[in-house]
Amino acid sequence: MRTLLLVAALSLGTPALVAALDPPAKTQSLPASVRDRAASILRQAEDDGNLAKAAAAGSALFDQVIARAPLRDGESWIEAAWIARLTSQVAALPKDAQRPALALAKKRPGASRALAMLLSPRDDTARAYAILARLDAAHGDKVERLAPLAAAICVVHDSTRYLAANRGKPAPIAVDPVALFAYYTENQPRMAFDMRSMAPEGLVRVVDSTASIDEMAWALARHAGDRNVGQRYTDLTYDTDAFKRGKPKKIEPLDYTLQNLRRVGGVCEEQAYYAAHVAKAIGVPSAQITGQGPDVSHAWVGFVQERGGGLVWNCDEGHYDEYEKLRGSTLDPQTGRIVSDGELGLSAGLLAATPSDRLACVALVDAAARLRALRDAKNPLSAAWDLGGNPIAAPRTTEPAAEVELLRAAVERCPGAPAPWHAVASLAEKGGLDAASRDQWFDAIMRHAGTRFPDFSFGIVTSMIAGVADAKEQSRAWDWAADRFGQLPDLACEVRIRQGDLWKAKGDPARAYDAYLAPLQRYANESAKVVDALLRAERLLRDGKRQAAIPDMYKDAWRKISRPGSLSPGAFRSSNFYRVGERYATALDAAGLKNDAENVRRQLAAGVEKEKP
């Protein structure tokens, strides 16, 4: 069962629900009155068991805060967002799980609150709350003392994860979240970071380990306290026979354990896995990062490190000079999304933020989403107010400007949180930003992330550009982006592909073709995206009944691409040289130039012959 979105529209009778609850004292501050109202909603739910009613009341309280609470009053925003989240999440549970979840929220308020504020619409709410109940049954008060750890385990293991040691076996063994919690609590004094205080957004990249408890204990015994754990990447002997000669990896006949990897080695995939899982074993957030180059793919490791009095993601280990310009990506262990290594780097800001700023950011993003949902449903935001404190004079509305205001406040609270940036990009893509506002956000994202985390800023910028309605203005924006990201081949190629797609959609194939071929002039040997651009250009020629031009296009492209050096047959087949050569040969065949096609294929075949030992 999926988490109910907070943005679900309320029935027209909702304000009456608020009035029926405990009224605030006339002299109460806004935070105090919001706290009291939230407590009243929970008491009512405990009494009558009507979670649908509680969820409606929680959302109505949140609406009041959205409409009229001052942005500086973070405590009120957090409390209102929390009660709206908790009640909607519990209402989404199976009926027989609702009262136990409420009871657990009362018994373990810190852990329950941490979970409620961490859950996303992609999480399995029922399984996450069931795991929290299991943790409480097995570990009692420890769950409250290590609330961030408990919450992280719940959102990561709401989908079953399997031990890597059992890869390919008929009966895979699932990771036990209860045993995992026990490992970290028992070894907390030896962990590199304090799991009682680290943000759960960081801990999700600790508890996503697929190594067994025995493997983790082995790694902890050898590397506890290692502040540069990414260097474990080079602990593994490189499996040259597998990479260059296409032979089976030495690890293949063995269990995929940390001990066996240390003994027999592996290629970059194993090096990244090993270093990342040693890091997780000693309590360091880590990630395996992958990238695709023009000749070969590569994997490296990212890990959190103390630097300059703060925390940063170090993604340099294994990210050698020849792969420096690769666009890296990694899996978000909570949501399953593929995210850029730039987003990973930016998120270090979440670990440095105060809990109040981090949670206020979550609340403000929720509020912006609520406004958008009301606007999409053509429902107004009520301006009713029966809380204490001093509300703002002019109530917020569902107009995009109010959404922008909330997202700007969220970024100011926690610029390292990806969520508000993604929300702005989504708003812009749907045409919700005017030109002036869009330019301000361009400046903001480039200022916060542009040079340090270009992959992330690129994703936000391209979404905003896609929302520009006028084709010529949008094309100029793509030109700006091509210049801004020109030193990063994958990103620069993607810009031109998007620009070509724009002109194709607008019925201008000549401009589209020029945009698709632009990457070839500069990045033929630097980005696999060049092949994607050529494939689009080929389709454009076919759509325009210009098949005769396809062989010459590929001939020119193939001449610009260098033949790769010594690679395994599999790696050679993934190179730009091979992929473009294959398309060239196919085009020659279609043109009736069989001899020329065979000549191209002979050159390709020479590259896939296995090297002799």
Side-chain angles (χ1 to χ4, degrees), residues 496-509:
R496 292 307 184 189
I497 288 173
R498 301 252 190 135
Q499 188 177 39
D501 290 348
L502 163 70
W503 287 120
K504 181 181 178 182
K506 296 298 181 181
D508 193 332

Side-chain angles (χ1 to χ4, degrees), residues 101-150:
L102 280 182
L104 191 56
K106 187 173 183 179
K107 180 183 180 184
R108 308 288 181 213
S112 177
R113 183 178 289 257
L115 177 58
M117 295 301 281
L118 186 60
L119 277 164
S120 79
R122 288 174 175 257
D123 286 307
D124 187 325
T125 307
R127 291 193 66 175
Y129 274 94
I131 292 171
L132 185 62
R134 288 177 57 196
L135 294 178
D136 178 63
H139 298 289
D141 291 344
K142 292 179 181 177
V143 172
E144 189 70 2
R145 291 200 298 271
L146 286 97
L149 175 66

